[in-house]
Amino acid sequence: MLQKSAENDSQEKSCGDKVDEIYGEGSHSEKREEAGFILQLSITGRCNLRCTHCYDDAEDHQDMPVESCENILDQFFALCCLWKRTPVIWLTGGEPTLHPQFWHILDYIKIHSDLINAHSLVAVLSNGINFTEEFVKRLEEHPLDIYVQISLDGARAETHDAIRGKGSFEKAVAALELLTPTAIETHIHFVVHRDNYDDAFTMPDVAKALGADVLTVTRLVPWGRGGKLYEKMLSPEQVKNLFKSLSDDLDEIMDADDSPGALISRARCDWPIIYPDPSTPEASTKNGFRCGVGRSYINIQENGDVYPCRRMPIKIGNVFEEDLMTIWQHPLLWKFRRKHRFVQGKCQECFFNVEAPRICSGGASCIAYAVYNDPFQPDPQCPVDPSQAPAGTDRENHVLH
């Protein structure tokens, strides 16, 4: 457990004072509710890889000053107090483990969690390059509830290294092999496009072989360096085929009695509608989930810029210049909270937007923004045609189980 020194005691008192100052005395003493509020915090823009699909194509990067990290966390935890939400913090970059105060930031999160009596969840989103036996041991012994996501963009070195650089597959696998025997929940993240499409179908087997707990397959968002891969985006038919296969794999895993394998993350905005008939039970359980922008998620970059989503770089403020609560009231976020009313095109006639917006309010806003420069256009990779039954809103006897 975290040993509280005199310095930690002073730091803890300071955190509590800041929470009281922002949102009232005693606000940090109440119990949290179950719903999570996600802060994706880029603590550094520096990275030790140059991936072809990266959202960032800039070369001049910096670490977020630790004092700025603390100030952001003060505000974030105060908002979680105000809204009685469970704090969920994704530490990212760049490569977050490159930040010289990485461990201090984890300790600061733990102090805040204790102050507001919250069971905070922290994710470290990493490429695994810096993971050593000593690093993983220290991570496992940390008193926070931490999970680690390692990027693996191929089922074999040839595919992965073509995207992330020579030798990176071996290092990512080595990191996973250090993590999976521990108590740390271990995730694999795979970004799919045409260059690694075939590998995507075998990733559930890879995740199981490596002992991972969760596999997340996301679609390419053509921003930054990834913009050069625009022509590598999957067709709607390819998207449907892949995610139907992944859904079937998940069903088998959940039905298995022994050695089920890694769970596959399905409650995502970029998980497409693969069961378009609302009268079937699969329509409500296997078709993903609406975008969390403006509801349960915010992204802050190392320079203080705030985006609705890391994959949708629309600047809505800078947390070094204005407080997080003010930014959270930005008109664009209010529009996203009602996205099903504003999304255009075929979505206006689709059951899964008009009558079941919690499942799909136009699909992946980030991909629509990257392709059309408008996040309120339909997801360009959506395989559903609502002008044809069964997804059209004019169909009689829709029953969503």
Side-chain angles (χ1 to χ4, degrees):
M1 296 294 291
L2 182 66
Q3 298 298 315
K4 294 181 181 177
S5 63
E7 180 182 356
N8 280 335
D9 288 338
S10 174
Q11 188 180 48
E12 181 172 331
K13 184 178 185 297
S14 174
C15 290
D17 291 344
K18 290 175 184 175
V19 170
D20 286 343
E21 179 183 345
I22 298 173
Y23 291 115
E25 184 175 353
S27 64
H28 56 280
S29 62
E30 299 179 12
K31 263 285 189 183
R32 304 303 102 207
E33 294 182 352
E34 290 299 321
F37 183 36
I38 300 170
L39 168 64
Q40 184 170 8
L41 183 61
S42 175
I43 59 176
T44 181
R46 295 187 298 124
C47 191
N48 41 18
L49 294 178
R50 293 292 181 271
C51 305
T52 59
H53 62 255
C54 185
Y55 316 128
D56 194 347
D57 57 358
E59 295 299 328
D60 184 22
H61 290 295
Q62 61 190 12
D63 299 322
M64 180 181 283
V66 69
E67 296 81 6
S68 298
C69 291
E70 292 176 356
N71 180 266
I72 290 167
L73 290 167
D74 291 342
Q75 294 186 58
F76 175 69
F77 275 91
L79 290 178
C80 290
C81 281
L82 182 67
W83 297 329
K84 297 181 175 61
R85 303 289 287 273
T86 298
V88 181
I89 300 164
W90 297 349
L91 295 180
T92 184
E95 170 52 45
T97 62
L98 291 175
H99 196 291
Q101 296 294 321
F102 175 79
W103 296 107
H104 172 84
I105 293 167
L106 288 181
D107 291 343
Y108 197 80
I109 294 169
K110 173 58 179 171
I111 290 169
H112 253 309
S113 301
D114 290 346
L115 273 169
I116 67 170
N117 196 23
H119 183 83
S120 300
L121 178 62
V122 176
V124 179
L125 312 185
S126 174
N127 57 36
I129 300 296
N130 284 346
F131 280 55
T132 63
E133 187 173 347
E134 180 183 358
F135 180 91
V136 171
K137 184 175 186 294
R138 187 173 179 183
L139 207 59
E140 185 180 23
E141 292 175 349
H142 199 280
L144 277 171
D145 187 357
I146 298 172
Y147 76 84
V148 175
Q149 175 183 284
I150 300 295
S151 295
L152 197 65
D153 291 316
R156 51 210 166 93
E158 179 184 359
T159 309
H160 176 96
D161 287 359
I163 297 167
R164 291 184 164 263
K166 187 176 181 180
S168 58
F169 179 82
E170 181 180 352
K171 292 177 181 178
V173 169
L176 289 164
E177 289 175 339
L178 288 172
L179 286 163
T180 53
T182 72
I184 300 170
E185 185 175 294
T186 304
H187 295 221
I188 291 175
H189 184 258
F190 182 100
V191 179
V192 64
H193 47 79
R194 294 190 181 190
D195 287 347
N196 62 0
Y197 181 66
D198 290 340
D199 283 31
F201 288 88
T202 65
M203 284 306 296
D205 292 332
V206 173
K208 180 178 180 179
L210 290 170
D213 298 296
V214 178
L215 169 67
T216 300
V217 177
T218 63
R219 293 183 267 147
L220 169 74
V221 181
W223 276 115
R225 281 193 294 274
K228 297 178 181 179
L229 298 179
Y230 177 82
E231 300 298 330
K232 303 286 188 179
M233 292 179 66
L234 303 183
S235 69
E237 188 69 18
Q238 287 176 311
V239 167
K240 181 177 71 173
N241 292 339
L242 171 60
F243 284 88
K244 177 60 168 63
S245 175
L246 292 172
S247 184
D248 291 344
D249 288 337
L250 178 57
D251 290 344
E252 289 183 16
I253 289 167
M254 295 182 72
D255 290 340
D257 294 328
D258 300 314
S259 303
L263 294 177
I264 300 171
S265 179
R266 187 157 51 189
R268 300 179 51 83
C269 69
D270 61 353
W271 185 284
I273 300 295
I274 53 176
Y275 289 96
D277 186 347
S279 67
T280 65
E282 290 84 3
S284 61
T285 59
K286 301 180 182 180
N287 273 334
F289 199 72
R290 69 183 171 197
C291 177
V293 164
R295 297 173 179 274
S296 59
Y297 172 90
I298 197 75
N299 168 258
I300 301 178
Q301 293 297 103
E302 72 273 9
N303 63 357
D305 286 348
V306 180
Y307 297 157
C309 171
R310 178 63 186 94
R311 306 195 299 171
M312 189 165 49
I314 305 171
K315 182 179 175 181
I316 57 173
N318 186 290
V319 78
F320 298 165
E321 300 168 0
E322 53 188 329
D323 65 80
L324 191 54
M325 171 62 102
T326 299
I327 296 171
W328 188 249
Q329 306 305 318
H330 192 281
L332 181 63
L333 295 186
W334 280 109
K335 190 173 181 180
F336 267 110
R337 290 168 194 138
R338 300 167 175 82
K339 186 189 172 191
H340 64 288
R341 300 181 186 176
F342 296 102
V343 68
Q344 300 299 304
K346 67 179 184 179
C347 299
Q348 294 182 335
E349 306 299 327
C350 183
F351 175 89
F352 295 99
N353 177 64
V354 177
E355 299 184 48
R358 67 179 177 82
I359 295 176
C360 179
S361 301
S365 306
C366 53
I367 299 178
Y369 181 63
V371 172
Y372 304 119
N373 200 35
D374 181 358
F376 297 96
Q377 291 297 317
D379 185 330
Q381 295 172 303
C382 173
V384 174
D385 181 359
S387 68
Q388 301 179 12
T393 55
D394 58 349
R395 185 187 175 201
E396 297 182 357
N397 299 321
H398 276 315
V399 178
L400 190 61
H401 291 259

